[in-house]
Amino acid sequence: MVKEDTVNITNKRKIQSAGILKKRALLVVMSENYLGKSFILDNHEMVLGREDNSDIIIDDPLISKKHCRIFLNDEGHFQLEDLDSTNSTYLNGKILKKAVILNYGDRIIIGNTIIRFFHEEKFEAK
């Protein structure tokens, strides 16, 4: 359950012991209902919805109890998938029909909530 402004959700021991490369991303809410609220993603799967047992809870009446999920695919890319929500999930203005890979800065709309996706970047000195 996520209800704080910036939340780090992780199970480092499980991820490291499985020998899986750990990746992280950030969701930032851009709409007025939660403007600036951010969520750090470093689990392999996160469910967004209104339900209390969702990983990320957003109190928006147009969001389903379990609306969509963001997960790491086998290649290590974050993907977004609609979970048969009532009002659909939109990615960059298009309705989501199947799971798609998320790119830096993508705009996700669920209900009346606009969210931007950012993945961790590495600084490389030249």
Side-chain angles (χ1 to χ4, degrees), residues 45-109:
E45 178 177 312
M46 305 291 294
V47 173
L48 289 76
R50 272 187 305 113
E51 198 168 62
D52 284 342
N53 65 354
S54 294
D55 298 304
I56 296 177
I57 301 166
I58 301 174
D59 187 21
D60 176 336
L62 295 178
I63 291 177
S64 297
K65 291 179 181 180
K66 290 187 186 296
H67 197 97
C68 62
R69 73 180 182 123
I70 297 175
F71 63 97
L72 276 172
N73 66 17
D74 293 339
E75 291 81 37
H77 299 286
F78 284 99
Q79 284 193 265
L80 174 66
E81 179 180 40
D82 184 75
L83 297 175
D84 296 322
S85 63
T86 303
N87 294 311
S88 301
T89 300
Y90 294 82
L91 180 64
N92 299 322
K94 296 181 181 175
I95 196 165
L96 198 63
K97 300 282 187 189
K98 62 179 182 172
V100 296
I101 293 174
L102 288 167
N103 294 301
Y104 192 90
D106 275 347
R107 184 175 188 244
I108 302 164
I109 299 176

Side-chain angles (χ1 to χ4, degrees), residues 16-17 28 67 75 85-86 99 117 119 123:
Q16 288 172 352
S17 67
V28 179
H67 197 97
E75 291 81 37
S85 63
T86 303
F117 171 83
H119 55 76
F123 175 74

Side-chain angles (χ1 to χ4, degrees), residues 2 14 23:
V2 175
K14 183 177 180 182
K23 290 202 155 197

